[in-house]
């Protein structure tokens, strides 16, 4: 009796495996969408706003920062970067304020997160015309020197002018407030294979 039951179980399991393996592969449906890669070239600008306040006063190198895309970025008819895409990065370099120079920082962008949660690694920076250095300007003069400027046409008449002295004050910290309009510039091409469908 035990042998008969064991034989039936073995035979049944073999038939089940054969029935499963005999199912045609054509019946399996995979939900896929077309994903033609689109390349954003180096030098492409992406308008964003800062999601938090960033300052040389209380942040340090390596501090993680976030930015949010303010508009849709299209290439032809395809929406490449949708509005509200999140960009994550960090402070790559920071300079404390010193006498004569304000504090400065360079912010690198390392990741783009689409609204559906899909993540793409990237390389970009918060753009400034000063080689992407934020802040770092000359601090205020410590004193002002008054000096007369004599008119050539009106002899004997002088205008009092004020010029900055040689010494400068201690530099101030540089702060990017939350919600500030900024630009990300890509420094390497970004290949996007994942686009949101409407």
């Amino acid at each position: 009796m035990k042998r008969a039951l064991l034989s039936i179980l073995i035979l049944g399991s073999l038939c089940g495996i054969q029935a499963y393996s005999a199912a045609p592969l054509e019946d399996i449906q995979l939900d896929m969408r077309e994903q033609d890669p689109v390349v954003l070239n180096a030098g492409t600008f992406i308008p964003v706003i800062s999601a938090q306040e960033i300052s040389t006063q209380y942040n340090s190198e390596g501090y993680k920062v976030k930015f949010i895309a303010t508009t849709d970025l299209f290439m032809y008819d395809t929406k490449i970067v949708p509005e509200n895409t999140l960009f994550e990065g960090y402070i790559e370099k920071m300079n404390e304020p010193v006498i004569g120079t304000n504090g400065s920082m360079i912010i690198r962008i390392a990741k783009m997160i689409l609204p559906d949660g899909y993540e793409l690694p990237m390389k970009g920076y918060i753009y400034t015309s000063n080689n992407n250095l934020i802040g770092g300007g000359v601090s205020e003069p410590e004193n002002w020197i008054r000096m007369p400027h004599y008119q050539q046409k009106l002899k004997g008449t002088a205008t009092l002018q004020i010029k900055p002295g040689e010494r400068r004050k201690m530099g101030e910290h540089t702060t990017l407030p939350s919600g500030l309009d900024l630009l990300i510039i890509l420094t390497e091409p970004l290949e996007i294979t994942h686009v949101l469908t409407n």
Side-chain angles (χ1 to χ4, degrees):
M1 185 68 162
K2 288 182 182 178
R3 284 186 185 176
L5 283 175
L6 186 59
S7 299
I8 292 172
L9 285 174
I10 292 174
L11 185 59
S13 63
L14 288 176
C15 290
I17 291 171
Q18 253 185 349
Y20 175 74
S21 62
L25 291 176
E26 293 81 29
D27 290 345
I28 299 173
Q29 294 285 330
L30 295 178
D31 231 359
M32 298 182 74
R33 60 179 159 185
E34 294 179 22
Q35 294 184 358
D36 296 327
V38 177
V39 177
L40 291 179
N41 294 323
T44 300
F45 290 104
I46 303 170
V48 294
I49 60 171
S50 54
Q52 81 254 33
E53 186 174 270
I54 308 163
S55 177
T56 58
Q57 184 173 7
Y58 46 80
N59 298 131
S60 57
E61 287 185 9
Y63 181 77
K64 292 183 181 178
V65 292
K66 294 181 181 180
F67 302 89
I68 301 168
T70 55
T71 58
D72 295 328
L73 182 64
F74 284 88
M75 182 174 283
Y76 306 110
D77 293 332
T78 305
K79 188 190 297 184
I80 304 302
V81 180
E83 186 179 0
N84 296 321
T85 296
L86 185 66
F87 293 89
E88 291 185 354
Y90 58 93
I91 299 174
E92 184 176 73
K93 183 174 182 179
M94 180 176 290
N95 298 314
E96 293 289 328
V98 293
I99 294 175
T101 307
N102 295 323
S104 63
M105 56 187 152
I106 295 176
I107 297 177
R108 180 175 174 177
I109 306 301
K111 188 182 350 180
M112 177 173 78
I113 304 172
L114 296 172
D116 67 350
Y118 188 81
E119 297 182 6
L120 277 170
M122 60 179 288
K123 186 173 182 186
Y125 288 89
I126 294 298
Y127 173 78
T128 69
S129 58
N130 187 20
N131 201 23
N132 302 329
L133 183 69
I134 302 165
V138 177
S139 64
E140 291 291 319
E142 190 172 286
N143 60 347
W144 295 87
I145 301 170
R146 296 180 184 181
M147 61 182 298
H149 177 70
Y150 295 98
Q151 306 288 331
Q152 288 186 2
K153 292 184 179 180
L154 300 170
K155 294 192 179 194
T157 306
T159 305
L160 188 61
Q161 288 186 333
I162 300 174
K163 72 170 193 173
E166 292 181 8
R167 294 187 307 187
R168 295 277 172 173
K169 290 182 181 178
M170 181 68 176
E172 296 179 356
H173 286 283
T174 297
T175 300
L176 298 179
S178 177
L180 182 66
D181 288 320
L182 299 163
L183 289 173
I184 292 174
I185 184 168
L186 294 179
T187 53
E188 289 183 0
L190 175 61
E191 185 176 282
I192 299 175
T193 57
H194 179 89
V195 293
L196 293 178
T197 56
N198 294 334

